[in-house]
Amino acid sequence: MAKTRIDYKANATRRRNRFAYVTGIFGLLLVTFSYYFYQVFFTPNIDTKGRPAYVVVRRGESAKAVLDSIEATGVVIDKLSLRFVARLLKYDQLVKPGRYELKNGYTNRQLINDLRTGSNKLPLMLTFQNIRLRQDLARKLSTTIDARPGQFDSLLTSPAYTKSLGFDTTSILTMFIPNTYELLWNTSADNLMHRMKKEYEKFWTPERDAQRKKLGLSRAEVSTLASIVEAEQQQHADERPRVAGVYLNRLKRGMKLQADPTVVYANRDFTIKRVLNVHLAKDSPYNTYKYGGLPPGPINLPSIASIDAVLNPESHDYLYFCAKEDFSGYHAFARNEQEHLVNARRYQAALSRAGIMK
């Protein structure tokens, strides 16, 4: 009996020790897991090193693709923990398009919650510069919002759609007034077009409309002439009212504009630096050496400064101009063809001396 009691006590002690051991292991695992859980959820995991960092989430993009893009920015400290939290929070079920800031010091939980809820979306700044062709515009717009170039191209070339906005497929480009516009990434192509229409109407104030009416020009004609003025004088905006005055004088007298930039546009070769007879032979309604009046539409998206230069031209009797031979970017103006030929010969000689043959 004594031995039985001793065995029982020994077994009970072993069971208590085993329980204590198991309990200790479990407690240790619990503490370890709790610490890891805390770390992956509440410890900063984004380090931008003082640089702004952003991620763009496109419509229809997978959670994996978004996480790949975030990691590609180089700001994630622990990539595995970010993916772990994304999986726990079921980010794959709530991917929202937009442009998001990867804020310095953000935890995984904060970042994934922002991406899941669509908060912390940042606007994009849309600015037009150096846009000549419809295709260029479509590409530019598609880099600013979540839309493909083809979507814009189809809208810009649709007679019914452009008519609904008050334009045709040629004049529609004049609706885009170069400025800086704030947009959200998930703005649709159609919404952007209507936004540009609103901005266009705001731009054409009663004062600007009154000025163009004095000149006998439509809004589209003002923009078309402004595009030529801008192409002629890209460096010095202070000379644009004088250039505009030349073209307006020629239009009033029924003279062809004979604007070299329209010939370049007609040839679709924007590397041309010297317009030659072979370029002038191009049969195109944009070739103002062949056809009178304004071309069908703009040859670029003119700046506000160029539009205002047309609306407020310098009053003079110049009919010709050509670049100065000092390559300063300014022009020599002439009242008649004889004066102009003298100026032109000087410039042509300067081009030849510089070795510019094309």
Side-chain angles (χ1 to χ4, degrees), residues 258-278:
Q258 295 184 326
D260 286 0
T262 66
V263 177
V264 173
Y265 185 88
N267 281 270
R268 294 296 197 275
D269 181 358
F270 301 108
T271 66
I272 297 172
K273 295 180 181 178
R274 189 172 184 176
V275 173
L276 305 173
N277 288 333
V278 65

Side-chain angles (χ1 to χ4, degrees), residues 45-49 51 53-54 67-77 79 102:
N45 197 33
I46 299 296
D47 181 7
T48 65
K49 296 179 175 58
R51 304 185 313 272
Y54 308 95
L67 294 173
D68 287 344
S69 297
I70 293 173
E71 291 174 4
T73 65
V75 301
V76 180
I77 300 169
K79 298 176 183 178
L102 304 175

Side-chain angles (χ1 to χ4, degrees), residues 73-356:
T73 65
V75 301
V76 180
I77 300 169
D78 183 352
K79 298 176 183 178
L80 184 62
S81 69
L82 177 62
R83 291 181 181 268
F84 176 68
V85 172
R87 192 177 303 113
L88 284 181
L89 294 181
K90 298 181 179 179
Y91 175 51
D92 60 329
Q93 298 177 18
L94 289 166
V95 179
K96 295 183 183 293
R99 177 175 178 259
Y100 300 86
E101 182 180 4
L102 304 175
K103 293 186 177 180
N104 189 56
Y106 246 27
T107 66
N108 291 325
R109 181 183 63 85
Q110 288 174 309
L111 176 55
I112 298 302
N113 276 341
D114 275 0
L115 295 171
R116 277 166 42 95
T117 59
S119 59
N120 185 31
K121 280 184 185 177
L122 295 175
L124 290 138
M125 307 311 290
L126 171 62
T127 303
F128 305 121
Q129 287 181 326
N130 303 319
I131 302 293
R132 292 191 183 99
L133 304 173
R134 185 192 72 250
Q135 297 91 326
D136 297 334
L137 178 60
R139 279 193 294 270
K140 174 64 178 177
L141 296 176
S142 68
T143 63
T144 308
I145 66 170
D146 191 13
R148 306 297 178 190
Q151 291 176 267
F152 283 110
D153 207 51
S154 64
L155 295 179
L156 294 169
T157 57
S158 167
Y161 186 81
T162 54
K163 185 178 180 181
S164 72
L165 294 172
F167 301 87
D168 57 36
T169 55
T170 301
S171 64
I172 187 65
L173 295 184
T174 66
M175 184 180 76
F176 294 84
I177 305 296
N179 211 332
T180 300
Y181 304 100
E182 189 175 282
L183 299 165
L184 287 176
W185 171 254
N186 57 349
T187 302
S188 70
D190 178 59
N191 284 343
L192 177 54
M193 294 289 284
H194 281 86
R195 166 72 183 280
M196 291 299 100
K197 169 67 172 176
K198 287 180 182 177
E199 297 292 344
Y200 173 84
E201 295 298 340
K202 281 165 54 178
F203 172 79
W204 281 103
T205 60
E207 292 75 20
R208 283 194 172 103
D209 269 329
Q211 287 295 103
R212 70 162 180 85
K213 287 175 182 177
K214 285 181 184 178
L215 298 171
L217 299 175
S218 67
R219 291 177 176 181
E221 287 171 333
V222 169
S223 291
T224 296
L225 181 53
S227 73
I228 298 173
V229 170
E230 176 139 325
E232 290 281 19
Q233 182 47 279
Q234 299 179 40
Q235 293 178 253
H236 306 294
D238 61 310
E239 195 183 69
R240 290 176 192 167
R242 178 169 291 191
V243 173
V246 170
Y247 286 126
L248 287 167
N249 286 344
R250 293 179 73 91
L251 286 172
K252 287 176 186 175
R253 298 192 181 198
M255 300 172 67
K256 291 177 182 174
L257 294 184
Q258 295 184 326
D260 286 0
T262 66
V263 177
V264 173
Y265 185 88
N267 281 270
R268 294 296 197 275
D269 181 358
F270 301 108
T271 66
I272 297 172
K273 295 180 181 178
R274 189 172 184 176
V275 173
L276 305 173
N277 288 333
V278 65
H279 305 128
L280 295 176
K282 179 70 175 181
D283 188 16
S284 165
Y286 286 90
N287 184 348
T288 57
Y289 277 81
K290 274 187 171 289
Y291 296 94
L294 290 164
I299 60 173
N300 57 55
L301 299 189
S303 65
I304 291 174
S306 292
I307 294 173
D308 284 340
V310 171
L311 293 173
N312 301 278
E314 184 179 306
S315 179
H316 55 63
D317 55 358
Y318 293 128
L319 293 171
Y320 302 87
F321 66 91
C322 73
K324 284 188 173 181
E325 69 272 18
D326 60 2
F327 300 116
S328 63
Y330 282 102
H331 295 83
F333 292 81
R335 293 173 176 81
N336 55 60
E337 191 172 7
Q338 289 72 29
E339 289 179 10
H340 174 63
L341 288 175
V342 172
N343 294 334
R345 278 193 286 268
R346 287 176 183 157
Y347 181 63
Q348 294 294 333
L351 285 176
S352 296
R353 286 194 298 271
I356 301 173

